[in-house]
């Protein structure tokens, strides 16, 4: 084996060793080398004039490197008191890793210690429109909300590492680096990467309850007066971040609507919900409305309810029938009685009966009659004995009752008896006359 071959093998092993070492550290998203695109040179006095970050965050004008590096007493004031190890990893100071450094905990996380790894990447996506990394790395953790403290936020001001405390990103008035920038305007860190800062970010809003009611309208349609409909459910939700206290739920029409709700006051946790129900029980016919009002510490809400009270109405025609004379033992032709439903709900006839056996009514049951509908009955007269007869046809229903009066007279049949004597006398007279004899008296 010649010496040059051994040298090449040794060099290859060394290169592989170096690459393996670098690969263990330079994982996806772990380094940055192109910050100047937005931020300009880290050692230049100003940002790039094309920096998207400059437009989104005017307080960050100046030297980005030195704003991080300097102490609070320097000009321009900084944050890290020359604690270079808080950001840099390795003696060469390049490359810079976004999630590790030579610093002492909690200042050993480089950029992620303050800015959150996913949040920082989201910031870049939002500010520059970069999506290439996310095309392959959609499994990244969701960025923290703006009001979640990152590790360095908890570091005590003036720690032994020589590093100042980094502010709560939702509190521009807190002690820390905010206000130490030469032209600070109260803009903090962007923890969740949405380009919104401090109280401009919804995640920084003070905790508050927010009342939401659904649905806000209930339509019950037609309902028989005096009867109760099926219930409908209304959901009260708390879409805020603090406990919702519902102080009252009131029904504006207790005559026609039935409210079933929890006793007030009651609490609804953030992101939780509570329900109540409403039913329609119209006392009378006609259109009805109600408003259910909800009061709470998260605002007020209301639900409007509508429905129509309906009822069947029985009508009978004619109400008198006259059959005249009818021989006993025979049945007259039928006369028609019409049952009508003049109401607004289905009519149920519960009974049809005659008070006298001399008058028959058929049929004695009918199907439910829709509003505006009719049914026909037939009444006949079949007297059992002679004499004047009368009866009342009684019809009852859930839409009222009615009666029909009927009259008639039962008669005996006429019997004709032949005159036998007269017939015989006439026959004899005819015979005598035929013999030429004269019948005398």
């Amino acid at each position: 084996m010649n010496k040059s071959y051994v040298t090449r093998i040794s060099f290859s092993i060394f290169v592989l060793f170096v690459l393996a070492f670098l690969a263990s550290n330079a994982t996806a998203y772990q380094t940055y080398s192109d910050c100047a695109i937005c931020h300009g040179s880290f050692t230049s006095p100003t940002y790039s004039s094309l920096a998207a970050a400059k437009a989104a965050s005017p307080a960050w004008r100046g030297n980005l490197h030195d704003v991080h590096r300097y102490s609070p007493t320097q000009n321009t004031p900084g944050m890290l008191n020359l604690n270079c190890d808080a950001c840099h990893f390795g003696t060469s100071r390049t490359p810079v890793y976004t999630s590790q450094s030579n610093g002492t905990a909690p200042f050993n996380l480089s950029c992620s210690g303050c800015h959150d790894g996913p949040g920082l990447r989201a910031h870049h996506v939002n500010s520059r429109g970069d999506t290439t990394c996310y095309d392959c790395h959609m499994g990244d953790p969701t960025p923290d909300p703006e009001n979640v403290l990152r590790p360095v936020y908890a570091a005590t001001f003036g720690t032994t590492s020589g590093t100042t405390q980094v502010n709560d990103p939702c509190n521009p008035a807190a002690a820390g680096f905010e206000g130490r920038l030469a032209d600070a305007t109260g803009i903090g860190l962007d923890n969740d990467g949405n380009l919104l800062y401090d109280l401009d970010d919804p995640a920084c809003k003070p905790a508050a309850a927010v009342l939401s009611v659904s649905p806000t309208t209930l339509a019950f349609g037609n309902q028989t007066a005096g009867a109760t409909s099926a219930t409908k459910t209304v959901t009260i939700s708390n879409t805020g971040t603090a406990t919702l206290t519902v102080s009252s739920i009131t029904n504006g029409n207790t005559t026609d609507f039935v409210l079933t709700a929890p006793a007030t006051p009651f609490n609804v946790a953030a992101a939780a919900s509570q329900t109540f129900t409403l039913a329609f029980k119209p006392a009378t016919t006609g259109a009805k409305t109600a408003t259910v009002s909800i009061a709470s510490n998260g605002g007020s809400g209301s639900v409007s309810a509508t429905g129509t009270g309906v009822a069947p109405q029985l009508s009978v025609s004619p109400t008198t029938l006259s059959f005249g004379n009818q021989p006993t033992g025979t049945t007259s032709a039928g006369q028609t009685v019409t049952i009508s439903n003049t109401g607004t709900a289905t009519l149920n006839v519960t009974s049809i009966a005659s008070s006298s056996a001399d008058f028959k009514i058929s049929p004695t049951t009918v199907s439910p009659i829709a509003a505006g509908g009719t049914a026909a009955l037939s009444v006949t007269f079949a007297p059992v004995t002679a004499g004047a007869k009368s009866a009342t046809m009684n019809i009852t229903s859930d839409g009222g009752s009615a009666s029909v009066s009927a009259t008639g007279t039962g008669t005996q049949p006429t019997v004709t008896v032949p005159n036998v004597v007269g017939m015989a006398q006439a026959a004899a007279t005819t015979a005598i006359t035929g013999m030429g004899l004269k019948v005398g008296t």
Side-chain angles (χ1 to χ4, degrees), residues 29-66:
Y29 296 130
Q30 296 304 299
T31 64
Y32 61 80
S33 59
D34 211 13
C35 303
I37 293 175
C38 282
H39 297 287
S41 170
F42 266 31
T43 57
S44 68
T46 61
Y47 278 173
S48 164
S49 61
L50 300 179
K54 180 177 180 180
S57 179
W60 285 98
R61 293 189 296 271
N63 187 308
L64 187 66
H65 175 269
D66 291 344

Side-chain angles (χ1 to χ4, degrees), residues 67-92:
V67 165
H68 285 81
R69 170 177 175 249
Y70 287 167
S71 71
T73 59
Q74 288 182 275
N75 189 15
T76 305
M79 294 173 286
L80 298 178
N81 281 354
L82 306 179
N83 182 6
C84 299
D85 284 344
C87 292
H88 292 285
F89 183 82
T91 56
S92 68

